[in-house]
Amino acid sequence: MAPLAIRRATKSFGGFEVLHGIDIDIEDGEFVVLVGPSGCGKSTLLRLIAGLEDITTGEILIDDKEVSRLHPKDRDIAMVFQSYALYPHMSVAENMGFSLRMRDVKPPERDRKVQAAAEILGLTPLLDRYPRQLSGGQRQRVAMGRAIVRDPKVFLFDEPLSNLDAKLRVQMRAEIRVLHKKLKTTIVYVTHDQIEAMTMADKIVVLRDGHVEQIGSPLELYDTPANAFVGGFIGSPAMNMLNGRIGEGGRSFVTDNGAELPLAAPPRIEPGRATIMGLRPEDIEIDEAGFPAQVQLIEPTGADIHVNLEVSGDVLTAVFHERLGLSEGQSVRLSIPVDKVHFFDPDSGDRIVG
Amino acid sequence: MTVADSPKRRQRETYLIFIALCIFTFINLMPLIWAVLTSLKDPRDAFTIPPTIIFEPTLEYHRQVWFENDFFRYLKNSLIVSAGTVFISVPFGCLAAYALSRIPRRSAGPILSALFTIRMFPHMLLAIPFFVMGTFLNLIDSYVLLILALVAINQPFTIWLMHGFFLEIPRDLDEAAAIDGCTSWQAFRIVILPLARPGMTVAALFSLLLSYNEFLFALVLTGTDTKTLPVAIASFGGEDISAWSLSAAGAIGIMLPIVIVMLVLQRHLVRGLTAGAVKG
Amino acid sequence: MVRWQRGLWLFFVPSFGLLAVVLLWPLGYAIYLSFFDYYLGSNVRSFIGLGNYVDLLTEQRLWRSMWTTIVIAFGSVGLEFVVGFALALALYRLNSSARVFSVLLFLPHIVTPVVAALFLKWMLAANWGFVDATLLTFGITPPDWLGDPFWAKISVILADAWIFTPLIMMVLYAGLQGLDESLIEAAQIDGASNWRILRHVIIPALIPAIIFTISVRLMDVFRFFDIIYVLTGGGPGTATETITIYTYQLGFRMLQVGKASALGVITLVIVAALLLTINRLLNSIYRGGDR
């Protein structure tokens, strides 16, 4: 258990910089998720923390101690790999006890710790099996067992759930969360799946192209995305983005395609300024007094209904919880609560705070 | 060609291929069969026109070649030299091959090419300095010199072969081992090496085969004390036709252990042969 | 190299140290010797610069042995490749019984080469050899397989082919088994003839394996020693004297180790040049696009 800090970290591969000055502070016991599209550098960042890659410039502090020149074994971390990386020729117990064995922990104590970890993860009946005799979910658990058995300062997870089927993934998500509550160890968790990030994290770090786009709690990211990228990346279905400008007097938003969407209260943005309006699908309401739209496509998911609505050339996705009895081709009227609208600068993508 | 008649045609083709292959195989094995027959023949059956197929077989010459012609001593020499080569070449080769499989590709590539180039050295070019140095150091007719020479020609191949096996072991395991507290040496010895055992079997097998069969270095670097089986059989005969049965018996005796070992370890064989064939 | 893996360089030390001592040093020594007139019997040596090279390149015997090597090399590798490929295709086609055949066909390759050469010698020996004895039975007078300059070359080529065709067969067969069968099936459904499938689907896919086997075999043939040594000893006369046999004669029979070293160096240069050319050629033919 320890705080972790990354300071101005850059990483280049053969002159090509893939991480550009990353600064992240992680508190003791925090569950931090690094999320971003593939190629954003999140796995590289995790490997820098683990010491599997050398940092180019900058520093990494674990427990306030600079570690970026240390061998992975001397950083007191544990890692769960995407492939699990279980040792095929060792039993589950041997796999879990291996790090203790390498640190000269005496066999009786080793057994005790392995037993305890196996207990927590429900692996006790499997201790004598070999990795090839286990199912995917069981292997995943063993990989976690191997990590927790040593009680390291930081846990690193590299997309640990991506090889599991959807149902198991949801289950393991909850289990890891519960495990973290129990162990209270600092966790850095890499995933490309924003739902995993939202459901598990205390703090999310959104990365894109080797830059940090935003750091914050899941709801902060959801409610006040720092830019259009974060807005579009977090949340499912994705946020609707409309290009246009603020209409006269700030009473409406005029899309580039000419539709005029009335705003209940004027945003604090000068009229006529070009902006991107971001609109969460669940914030769109049916309102007889609103602007006109046409139902293009209806996708019932059971709990919700996803509806694609055409507003003079732009398509908005909306999510309704009620069964509205809409049919494709039908005309409806919509409105947007003003406090749920996000405005971004079309050039920089940054959030425009009114 | 219509689709309907093709299965029948294929069937007939397959049948013809089968027959042709049977005939070819038989003709191809004729020298071997002939040698086996010769080794079981009395000289009066060996020199006949037409060749005798039916005769009273005798194991007399097999007995003679081993018990009256020192072949046991040559076998001992062959085994010492082969074992020496394997025990030096395979461990050293494994170490280098492992490192080669783990360093960045751009560094490994040139080393691999260099090793491949070394493999094509004309052996004769190596035999001369070995012979000259051996003469000066008074090491001709010693096991050491021959073993070193065989290691020299064997090592690049062993590295190349083992490199392929180590590449198949995921790097994640090295990384997991490093995080679990292993140094590079510990990761290699405790985690990677046990997983490379099938590869080591193949490498050992091929080193063994190479040193057991090797002729040139054995010919110029050994003498009466350390003569290996191939040198012995080559000097033994073929010239004097009255010794045919005897030398055939010797030849069969040399061949037999390899054939047995190779039949048992057949599945490993292809792996060694095709090493490097797919990705150059 | 990543910091935590730097220790890996030490893993190279034993092997490369050994190679330096038993391979590079002798090689350097051989090159050094090639500049001396050195008769091992009398132990006198005098520096003559490129004298050995000049001697060798201006004498008939070298060029004759070179020509013999080329004839034998291309003859045997060509034969091995054609037969080996045909056998590999046959095995691929048979599938079920291929295993038994592949083991039997492979036998000649695993037999000690010296022993294999002896087997062939007993086949080809005058009068009492199996071939002659059989032919004479039917009243056909056979040629002198090992004693006639022309037939001796043929015999050597056949011997090499007998021993090494199985190797080529195995490598190509392994390559064929790695082929994506759906490609072949798709071509069959498109109505392509067997020949076209071979030409346009199978051969292009096997190019790496083909380049590999041909290069390895060619370099082997250039150091091809034991089989000729046992079968003909380079004779009759110098009819089957390859560069390797000539080097052996120079170095170990006449003890002219300086001159023999020079010949070894020349061989090395030729082999290297040859392999580079072959690789380039085959690469450019098949990377140059589909015709």
Side-chain angles (χ1 to χ4, degrees), chain B residues 10 13 28 34 50 103 118-121 129 136 151 155 213 239 258 269 273, chain C residues 1 15 18 23 26 38 93 106 112 121-122 137 162 167 219 223 252 275:
Chain B
R10 269 186 79 78
E13 260 177 39
N28 201 43
W34 179 242
I103 63 175
I118 288 175
R119 259 181 81 185
M120 78 185 186
F121 277 180
F136 279 130
V151 168
Q155 184 75 165
N213 284 346
E239 306 305 330
I258 322 177
L269 197 86
L273 292 175
Chain C
M1 187 132 172
S15 176
L18 188 72
L23 198 80
Y38 187 9
R93 184 66 185 276
F106 201 65
T112 307
K121 194 165 182 174
W122 296 326
T137 309
W162 189 62
L167 174 74
M219 68 175 126
R223 51 188 196 204
F252 299 101
L275 283 177

mmCIF file of all heavy atoms in Angstrom, chain B residues 10 13 28 34 50 103 118-121 129 136 151 155 213 239 258 269 273, chain C residues 1 15 18 23 26 38 93 106 112 121-122 137 162 167 219 223 252 275:
data_model
loop_
_atom_site.group_PDB
_atom_site.id
_atom_site.type_symbol
_atom_site.label_atom_id
_atom_site.label_comp_id
_atom_site.label_asym_id
_atom_site.label_seq_id
_atom_site.Cartn_x
_atom_site.Cartn_y
_atom_site.Cartn_z
ATOM 1 N N ARG B 10 -9.940 -38.466 -58.785
ATOM 2 C CA ARG B 10 -8.984 -38.263 -57.689
ATOM 3 C C ARG B 10 -8.636 -39.590 -57.029
ATOM 4 O O ARG B 10 -7.486 -39.855 -56.716
ATOM 5 C CB ARG B 10 -9.585 -37.324 -56.641
ATOM 6 C CG ARG B 10 -9.281 -35.878 -56.881
ATOM 7 C CD ARG B 10 -9.792 -35.039 -55.720
ATOM 8 N NE ARG B 10 -8.892 -35.100 -54.558
ATOM 9 C CZ ARG B 10 -7.758 -34.417 -54.468
ATOM 10 N NH1 ARG B 10 -7.354 -33.671 -55.472
ATOM 11 N NH2 ARG B 10 -7.003 -34.489 -53.387
ATOM 12 N N GLU B 13 -6.250 -41.432 -59.194
ATOM 13 C CA GLU B 13 -4.938 -40.786 -59.103
ATOM 14 C C GLU B 13 -4.213 -41.166 -57.817
ATOM 15 O O GLU B 13 -3.046 -41.536 -57.825
ATOM 16 C CB GLU B 13 -5.113 -39.266 -59.101
ATOM 17 C CG GLU B 13 -4.872 -38.608 -60.429
ATOM 18 C CD GLU B 13 -5.148 -37.119 -60.329
ATOM 19 O OE1 GLU B 13 -4.807 -36.496 -59.298
ATOM 20 O OE2 GLU B 13 -5.736 -36.594 -61.278
ATOM 21 N N ASN B 28 14.468 -47.518 -53.690
ATOM 22 C CA ASN B 28 15.273 -46.600 -52.885
ATOM 23 C C ASN B 28 15.939 -47.307 -51.709
ATOM 24 O O ASN B 28 17.031 -46.943 -51.297
ATOM 25 C CB ASN B 28 14.361 -45.477 -52.382
ATOM 26 C CG ASN B 28 15.135 -44.245 -51.998
ATOM 27 O OD1 ASN B 28 16.052 -43.846 -52.704
ATOM 28 N ND2 ASN B 28 14.790 -43.662 -50.872
ATOM 29 N N TRP B 34 20.312 -54.716 -49.614
ATOM 30 C CA TRP B 34 21.467 -55.437 -50.156
ATOM 31 C C TRP B 34 22.590 -55.539 -49.123
ATOM 32 O O TRP B 34 23.199 -56.598 -48.945
ATOM 33 C CB TRP B 34 21.951 -54.739 -51.424
ATOM 34 C CG TRP B 34 23.137 -55.337 -52.089
ATOM 35 C CD1 TRP B 34 24.341 -54.745 -52.282
ATOM 36 C CD2 TRP B 34 23.235 -56.638 -52.688
ATOM 37 N NE1 TRP B 34 25.190 -55.579 -52.943
ATOM 38 C CE2 TRP B 34 24.537 -56.766 -53.207
ATOM 39 C CE3 TRP B 34 22.346 -57.712 -52.812
ATOM 40 C CZ2 TRP B 34 24.977 -57.911 -53.861
ATOM 41 C CZ3 TRP B 34 22.788 -58.857 -53.460
ATOM 42 C CH2 TRP B 34 24.091 -58.949 -53.981
ATOM 43 N N PRO B 50 23.311 -64.771 -61.131
ATOM 44 C CA PRO B 50 22.589 -63.639 -60.539
ATOM 45 C C PRO B 50 22.793 -63.553 -59.026
ATOM 46 O O PRO B 50 23.188 -64.545 -58.417
ATOM 47 C CB PRO B 50 21.132 -63.976 -60.866
ATOM 48 C CG PRO B 50 21.088 -65.458 -60.957
ATOM 49 C CD PRO B 50 22.400 -65.857 -61.540
ATOM 50 N N ILE B 103 16.419 -10.410 -26.829
ATOM 51 C CA ILE B 103 16.894 -9.064 -27.126
ATOM 52 C C ILE B 103 16.080 -8.506 -28.293
ATOM 53 O O ILE B 103 15.412 -9.260 -28.998
ATOM 54 C CB ILE B 103 18.403 -9.047 -27.453
ATOM 55 C CG1 ILE B 103 18.698 -9.864 -28.702
ATOM 56 C CG2 ILE B 103 19.216 -9.553 -26.269
ATOM 57 C CD1 ILE B 103 20.140 -9.798 -29.135
ATOM 58 N N ILE B 118 28.152 -18.425 -40.674
ATOM 59 C CA ILE B 118 29.179 -19.312 -40.127
ATOM 60 C C ILE B 118 28.885 -20.769 -40.480
ATOM 61 O O ILE B 118 29.784 -21.555 -40.746
ATOM 62 C CB ILE B 118 29.261 -19.133 -38.592
ATOM 63 C CG1 ILE B 118 29.893 -17.788 -38.265
ATOM 64 C CG2 ILE B 118 30.077 -20.243 -37.963
ATOM 65 C CD1 ILE B 118 29.908 -17.456 -36.802
ATOM 66 N N ARG B 119 27.603 -21.085 -40.516
ATOM 67 C CA ARG B 119 27.227 -22.464 -40.845
ATOM 68 C C ARG B 119 27.716 -22.898 -42.203
ATOM 69 O O ARG B 119 27.840 -24.071 -42.490
ATOM 70 C CB ARG B 119 25.698 -22.597 -40.827
ATOM 71 C CG ARG B 119 25.179 -23.230 -39.581
ATOM 72 C CD ARG B 119 23.687 -23.341 -39.659
ATOM 73 N NE ARG B 119 23.267 -24.504 -40.434
ATOM 74 C CZ ARG B 119 22.009 -24.769 -40.730
ATOM 75 N NH1 ARG B 119 21.071 -23.969 -40.355
ATOM 76 N NH2 ARG B 119 21.701 -25.841 -41.416
ATOM 77 N N MET B 120 27.935 -21.913 -43.100
ATOM 78 C CA MET B 120 28.295 -22.332 -44.455
ATOM 79 C C MET B 120 29.814 -22.402 -44.651
ATOM 80 O O MET B 120 30.281 -22.681 -45.739
ATOM 81 C CB MET B 120 27.667 -21.412 -45.484
ATOM 82 C CG MET B 120 28.372 -20.102 -45.631
ATOM 83 S SD MET B 120 27.469 -19.039 -46.769
ATOM 84 C CE MET B 120 28.601 -17.692 -46.869
ATOM 85 N N PHE B 121 30.585 -22.148 -43.589
ATOM 86 C CA PHE B 121 32.030 -22.335 -43.714
ATOM 87 C C PHE B 121 32.347 -23.690 -44.313
ATOM 88 O O PHE B 121 31.828 -24.699 -43.862
ATOM 89 C CB PHE B 121 32.692 -22.292 -42.333
ATOM 90 C CG PHE B 121 32.970 -20.924 -41.834
ATOM 91 C CD1 PHE B 121 33.554 -20.745 -40.604
ATOM 92 C CD2 PHE B 121 32.663 -19.810 -42.600
ATOM 93 C CE1 PHE B 121 33.807 -19.478 -40.129
ATOM 94 C CE2 PHE B 121 32.924 -18.546 -42.137
ATOM 95 C CZ PHE B 121 33.497 -18.383 -40.887
ATOM 96 N N PRO B 129 43.543 -25.577 -40.089
ATOM 97 C CA PRO B 129 44.160 -24.999 -38.888
ATOM 98 C C PRO B 129 44.057 -25.913 -37.671
ATOM 99 O O PRO B 129 44.982 -25.956 -36.864
ATOM 100 C CB PRO B 129 43.384 -23.701 -38.669
ATOM 101 C CG PRO B 129 42.156 -23.817 -39.488
ATOM 102 C CD PRO B 129 42.485 -24.710 -40.628
ATOM 103 N N PHE B 136 51.047 -29.109 -33.534
ATOM 104 C CA PHE B 136 51.965 -28.375 -32.659
ATOM 105 C C PHE B 136 51.714 -28.656 -31.186
ATOM 106 O O PHE B 136 52.634 -28.809 -30.407
ATOM 107 C CB PHE B 136 51.841 -26.867 -32.904
ATOM 108 C CG PHE B 136 52.601 -26.426 -34.099
ATOM 109 C CD1 PHE B 136 52.001 -25.638 -35.079
ATOM 110 C CD2 PHE B 136 53.924 -26.816 -34.267
ATOM 111 C CE1 PHE B 136 52.711 -25.251 -36.198
ATOM 112 C CE2 PHE B 136 54.640 -26.426 -35.385
ATOM 113 C CZ PHE B 136 54.024 -25.648 -36.366
ATOM 114 N N VAL B 151 32.115 -29.155 -31.821
ATOM 115 C CA VAL B 151 31.332 -28.075 -31.208
ATOM 116 C C VAL B 151 31.326 -26.863 -32.144
ATOM 117 O O VAL B 151 30.302 -26.223 -32.354
ATOM 118 C CB VAL B 151 31.894 -27.701 -29.823
ATOM 119 C CG1 VAL B 151 31.266 -26.405 -29.328
ATOM 120 C CG2 VAL B 151 31.625 -28.815 -28.827
ATOM 121 N N GLN B 155 27.731 -25.659 -33.040
ATOM 122 C CA GLN B 155 27.160 -24.593 -32.220
ATOM 123 C C GLN B 155 26.209 -23.638 -32.960
ATOM 124 O O GLN B 155 25.110 -23.374 -32.474
ATOM 125 C CB GLN B 155 28.312 -23.826 -31.552
ATOM 126 C CG GLN B 155 27.893 -22.758 -30.593
ATOM 127 C CD GLN B 155 27.380 -23.275 -29.258
ATOM 128 O OE1 GLN B 155 27.258 -22.559 -28.317
ATOM 129 N NE2 GLN B 155 27.076 -24.550 -29.175
ATOM 130 N N ASN B 213 28.050 -39.141 -36.742
ATOM 131 C CA ASN B 213 28.215 -39.370 -38.188
ATOM 132 C C ASN B 213 29.417 -38.670 -38.797
ATOM 133 O O ASN B 213 29.804 -38.974 -39.909
ATOM 134 C CB ASN B 213 26.974 -38.870 -38.932
ATOM 135 C CG ASN B 213 25.812 -39.821 -38.782
ATOM 136 O OD1 ASN B 213 25.986 -40.954 -38.354
ATOM 137 N ND2 ASN B 213 24.627 -39.366 -39.142
ATOM 138 N N GLU B 239 37.456 -52.049 -50.347
ATOM 139 C CA GLU B 239 38.444 -52.323 -51.390
ATOM 140 C C GLU B 239 38.573 -53.826 -51.611
ATOM 141 O O GLU B 239 38.375 -54.339 -52.705
ATOM 142 C CB GLU B 239 39.817 -51.762 -50.988
ATOM 143 C CG GLU B 239 39.819 -50.291 -50.611
ATOM 144 C CD GLU B 239 39.245 -49.398 -51.678
ATOM 145 O OE1 GLU B 239 39.352 -49.740 -52.879
ATOM 146 O OE2 GLU B 239 38.653 -48.357 -51.334
ATOM 147 N N ILE B 258 21.474 -45.528 -34.679
ATOM 148 C CA ILE B 258 20.856 -44.276 -35.124
ATOM 149 C C ILE B 258 19.453 -44.531 -35.606
ATOM 150 O O ILE B 258 18.530 -43.769 -35.315
ATOM 151 C CB ILE B 258 21.586 -43.644 -36.328
ATOM 152 C CG1 ILE B 258 23.072 -43.811 -36.213
ATOM 153 C CG2 ILE B 258 21.224 -42.196 -36.482
ATOM 154 C CD1 ILE B 258 23.759 -43.244 -37.437
ATOM 155 N N LEU B 269 12.091 -35.052 -35.163
ATOM 156 C CA LEU B 269 13.017 -34.950 -36.278
ATOM 157 C C LEU B 269 12.659 -33.819 -37.229
ATOM 158 O O LEU B 269 13.487 -32.983 -37.572
ATOM 159 C CB LEU B 269 12.959 -36.271 -37.017
ATOM 160 C CG LEU B 269 14.095 -36.555 -37.941
ATOM 161 C CD1 LEU B 269 15.209 -37.178 -37.141
ATOM 162 C CD2 LEU B 269 13.646 -37.523 -39.006
ATOM 163 N N LEU B 273 14.736 -30.462 -38.699
ATOM 164 C CA LEU B 273 15.054 -30.305 -40.116
ATOM 165 C C LEU B 273 14.531 -29.001 -40.674
ATOM 166 O O LEU B 273 15.148 -28.363 -41.513
ATOM 167 C CB LEU B 273 14.431 -31.450 -40.923
ATOM 168 C CG LEU B 273 15.026 -32.812 -40.686
ATOM 169 C CD1 LEU B 273 14.237 -33.850 -41.446
ATOM 170 C CD2 LEU B 273 16.470 -32.818 -41.122
ATOM 171 N N MET C 1 18.499 -1.819 -25.247
ATOM 172 C CA MET C 1 17.939 -2.940 -24.484
ATOM 173 C C MET C 1 17.374 -2.454 -23.149
ATOM 174 O O MET C 1 17.950 -1.607 -22.491
ATOM 175 C CB MET C 1 19.083 -3.918 -24.210
ATOM 176 C CG MET C 1 18.602 -5.172 -23.591
ATOM 177 S SD MET C 1 19.347 -6.489 -24.488
ATOM 178 C CE MET C 1 18.882 -7.834 -23.503
ATOM 179 N N SER C 15 28.962 -19.096 -25.123
ATOM 180 C CA SER C 15 28.855 -19.591 -26.487
ATOM 181 C C SER C 15 29.740 -18.817 -27.459
ATOM 182 O O SER C 15 30.487 -19.405 -28.247
ATOM 183 C CB SER C 15 27.395 -19.521 -26.920
ATOM 184 O OG SER C 15 27.285 -19.906 -28.245
ATOM 185 N N LEU C 18 33.380 -19.344 -26.832
ATOM 186 C CA LEU C 18 33.790 -20.635 -27.384
ATOM 187 C C LEU C 18 33.945 -20.552 -28.901
ATOM 188 O O LEU C 18 34.944 -21.013 -29.466
ATOM 189 C CB LEU C 18 32.721 -21.673 -27.024
ATOM 190 C CG LEU C 18 33.064 -23.114 -27.354
ATOM 191 C CD1 LEU C 18 34.116 -23.613 -26.386
ATOM 192 C CD2 LEU C 18 31.828 -23.986 -27.271
ATOM 193 N N LEU C 23 36.368 -21.322 -33.567
ATOM 194 C CA LEU C 23 35.925 -21.087 -34.934
ATOM 195 C C LEU C 23 36.627 -19.888 -35.563
ATOM 196 O O LEU C 23 37.279 -20.003 -36.594
ATOM 197 C CB LEU C 23 34.409 -20.887 -34.942
ATOM 198 C CG LEU C 23 33.760 -21.065 -36.288
ATOM 199 C CD1 LEU C 23 33.574 -22.534 -36.580
ATOM 200 C CD2 LEU C 23 32.439 -20.359 -36.342
ATOM 201 N N PRO C 26 40.695 -20.223 -35.372
ATOM 202 C CA PRO C 26 41.227 -21.118 -36.411
ATOM 203 C C PRO C 26 41.045 -20.542 -37.808
ATOM 204 O O PRO C 26 41.932 -20.661 -38.659
ATOM 205 C CB PRO C 26 40.406 -22.394 -36.245
ATOM 206 C CG PRO C 26 39.910 -22.358 -34.867
ATOM 207 C CD PRO C 26 39.723 -20.922 -34.515
ATOM 208 N N TYR C 38 54.128 -23.355 -46.924
ATOM 209 C CA TYR C 38 54.305 -24.084 -45.684
ATOM 210 C C TYR C 38 54.079 -25.566 -45.933
ATOM 211 O O TYR C 38 52.969 -26.018 -46.172
ATOM 212 C CB TYR C 38 53.310 -23.528 -44.658
ATOM 213 C CG TYR C 38 53.455 -24.052 -43.248
ATOM 214 C CD1 TYR C 38 54.545 -24.845 -42.866
ATOM 215 C CD2 TYR C 38 52.514 -23.754 -42.278
ATOM 216 C CE1 TYR C 38 54.660 -25.314 -41.582
ATOM 217 C CE2 TYR C 38 52.626 -24.212 -40.984
ATOM 218 C CZ TYR C 38 53.706 -25.000 -40.641
ATOM 219 O OH TYR C 38 53.822 -25.473 -39.363
ATOM 220 N N ARG C 93 -0.502 -35.743 -50.899
ATOM 221 C CA ARG C 93 -1.713 -36.243 -51.516
ATOM 222 C C ARG C 93 -2.215 -37.496 -50.807
ATOM 223 O O ARG C 93 -3.420 -37.681 -50.616
ATOM 224 C CB ARG C 93 -1.401 -36.538 -52.988
ATOM 225 C CG ARG C 93 -2.549 -36.986 -53.807
ATOM 226 C CD ARG C 93 -3.566 -35.860 -53.922
ATOM 227 N NE ARG C 93 -4.725 -36.343 -54.621
ATOM 228 C CZ ARG C 93 -4.819 -36.379 -55.940
ATOM 229 N NH1 ARG C 93 -3.844 -35.912 -56.682
ATOM 230 N NH2 ARG C 93 -5.885 -36.860 -56.505
ATOM 231 N N PHE C 106 12.886 -41.813 -45.458
ATOM 232 C CA PHE C 106 13.850 -40.985 -44.762
ATOM 233 C C PHE C 106 15.090 -41.769 -44.335
ATOM 234 O O PHE C 106 16.141 -41.178 -44.080
ATOM 235 C CB PHE C 106 13.193 -40.348 -43.545
ATOM 236 C CG PHE C 106 13.904 -39.136 -43.071
ATOM 237 C CD1 PHE C 106 13.968 -38.014 -43.883
ATOM 238 C CD2 PHE C 106 14.562 -39.110 -41.860
ATOM 239 C CE1 PHE C 106 14.656 -36.896 -43.485
ATOM 240 C CE2 PHE C 106 15.256 -37.988 -41.455
ATOM 241 C CZ PHE C 106 15.295 -36.878 -42.264
ATOM 242 N N THR C 112 24.620 -42.974 -41.285
ATOM 243 C CA THR C 112 25.917 -42.293 -41.338
ATOM 244 C C THR C 112 26.377 -42.179 -42.793
ATOM 245 O O THR C 112 26.399 -43.179 -43.505
ATOM 246 C CB THR C 112 26.949 -43.110 -40.546
ATOM 247 O OG1 THR C 112 26.434 -43.364 -39.246
ATOM 248 C CG2 THR C 112 28.275 -42.399 -40.467
ATOM 249 N N LYS C 121 28.462 -48.211 -52.688
ATOM 250 C CA LYS C 121 29.642 -48.801 -53.316
ATOM 251 C C LYS C 121 29.399 -50.286 -53.582
ATOM 252 O O LYS C 121 29.766 -50.815 -54.628
ATOM 253 C CB LYS C 121 30.849 -48.616 -52.400
ATOM 254 C CG LYS C 121 32.153 -48.883 -53.089
ATOM 255 C CD LYS C 121 33.291 -48.355 -52.271
ATOM 256 C CE LYS C 121 34.595 -48.598 -53.004
ATOM 257 N NZ LYS C 121 35.714 -47.971 -52.319
ATOM 258 N N TRP C 122 28.772 -50.930 -52.608
ATOM 259 C CA TRP C 122 28.488 -52.359 -52.803
ATOM 260 C C TRP C 122 27.416 -52.578 -53.862
ATOM 261 O O TRP C 122 27.336 -53.639 -54.469
ATOM 262 C CB TRP C 122 28.076 -53.003 -51.471
ATOM 263 C CG TRP C 122 29.198 -52.976 -50.470
ATOM 264 C CD1 TRP C 122 30.522 -53.093 -50.755
ATOM 265 C CD2 TRP C 122 29.106 -52.785 -49.074
ATOM 266 N NE1 TRP C 122 31.265 -52.995 -49.613
ATOM 267 C CE2 TRP C 122 30.419 -52.802 -48.550
ATOM 268 C CE3 TRP C 122 28.041 -52.611 -48.185
ATOM 269 C CZ2 TRP C 122 30.698 -52.656 -47.204
ATOM 270 C CZ3 TRP C 122 28.321 -52.477 -46.837
ATOM 271 C CH2 TRP C 122 29.647 -52.481 -46.348
ATOM 272 N N THR C 137 23.034 -60.816 -65.265
ATOM 273 C CA THR C 137 22.096 -61.931 -65.315
ATOM 274 C C THR C 137 21.263 -61.882 -66.596
ATOM 275 O O THR C 137 20.970 -62.893 -67.206
ATOM 276 C CB THR C 137 21.148 -61.887 -64.105
ATOM 277 O OG1 THR C 137 21.939 -61.772 -62.933
ATOM 278 C CG2 THR C 137 20.280 -63.116 -64.035
ATOM 279 N N TRP C 162 20.734 -39.818 -53.322
ATOM 280 C CA TRP C 162 20.136 -40.880 -52.491
ATOM 281 C C TRP C 162 20.089 -40.446 -51.031
ATOM 282 O O TRP C 162 19.134 -40.678 -50.327
ATOM 283 C CB TRP C 162 20.947 -42.181 -52.634
ATOM 284 C CG TRP C 162 20.273 -43.354 -51.978
ATOM 285 C CD1 TRP C 162 19.064 -43.882 -52.302
ATOM 286 C CD2 TRP C 162 20.757 -44.121 -50.872
ATOM 287 N NE1 TRP C 162 18.757 -44.938 -51.482
ATOM 288 C CE2 TRP C 162 19.790 -45.111 -50.594
ATOM 289 C CE3 TRP C 162 21.924 -44.086 -50.102
ATOM 290 C CZ2 TRP C 162 19.938 -46.048 -49.580
ATOM 291 C CZ3 TRP C 162 22.072 -45.028 -49.090
ATOM 292 C CH2 TRP C 162 21.093 -45.997 -48.829
ATOM 293 N N LEU C 167 15.895 -35.362 -47.192
ATOM 294 C CA LEU C 167 15.896 -34.112 -46.421
ATOM 295 C C LEU C 167 14.990 -33.082 -47.098
ATOM 296 O O LEU C 167 14.131 -32.463 -46.472
ATOM 297 C CB LEU C 167 17.323 -33.577 -46.311
ATOM 298 C CG LEU C 167 17.439 -32.205 -45.664
ATOM 299 C CD1 LEU C 167 17.206 -32.309 -44.164
ATOM 300 C CD2 LEU C 167 18.785 -31.587 -45.945
ATOM 301 N N MET C 219 25.313 -25.177 -50.155
ATOM 302 C CA MET C 219 26.529 -24.980 -49.355
ATOM 303 C C MET C 219 27.043 -26.303 -48.815
ATOM 304 O O MET C 219 28.240 -26.490 -48.648
ATOM 305 C CB MET C 219 26.328 -23.931 -48.265
ATOM 306 C CG MET C 219 25.408 -24.274 -47.159
ATOM 307 S SD MET C 219 25.480 -22.917 -45.968
ATOM 308 C CE MET C 219 23.840 -22.436 -45.767
ATOM 309 N N ARG C 223 30.918 -28.601 -49.528
ATOM 310 C CA ARG C 223 31.878 -29.162 -48.579
ATOM 311 C C ARG C 223 31.718 -30.675 -48.502
ATOM 312 O O ARG C 223 32.212 -31.334 -47.600
ATOM 313 C CB ARG C 223 31.726 -28.512 -47.222
ATOM 314 C CG ARG C 223 30.333 -28.507 -46.717
ATOM 315 C CD ARG C 223 30.261 -27.679 -45.465
ATOM 316 N NE ARG C 223 29.015 -27.994 -44.793
ATOM 317 C CZ ARG C 223 28.420 -27.179 -43.967
ATOM 318 N NH1 ARG C 223 28.944 -26.016 -43.706
ATOM 319 N NH2 ARG C 223 27.307 -27.525 -43.384
ATOM 320 N N PHE C 252 46.231 -32.639 -46.536
ATOM 321 C CA PHE C 252 46.467 -33.793 -45.669
ATOM 322 C C PHE C 252 47.240 -34.921 -46.337
ATOM 323 O O PHE C 252 47.703 -35.822 -45.666
ATOM 324 C CB PHE C 252 45.131 -34.305 -45.123
ATOM 325 C CG PHE C 252 44.416 -33.274 -44.312
ATOM 326 C CD1 PHE C 252 43.368 -32.546 -44.849
ATOM 327 C CD2 PHE C 252 44.820 -32.987 -43.020
ATOM 328 C CE1 PHE C 252 42.725 -31.574 -44.114
ATOM 329 C CE2 PHE C 252 44.182 -32.022 -42.265
ATOM 330 C CZ PHE C 252 43.136 -31.309 -42.815
ATOM 331 N N LEU C 275 25.689 -18.122 -52.738
ATOM 332 C CA LEU C 275 24.479 -18.088 -51.923
ATOM 333 C C LEU C 275 23.782 -16.745 -52.020
ATOM 334 O O LEU C 275 22.559 -16.676 -52.124
ATOM 335 C CB LEU C 275 24.827 -18.390 -50.476
ATOM 336 C CG LEU C 275 25.068 -19.871 -50.255
ATOM 337 C CD1 LEU C 275 25.478 -20.134 -48.832
ATOM 338 C CD2 LEU C 275 23.790 -20.645 -50.577
#
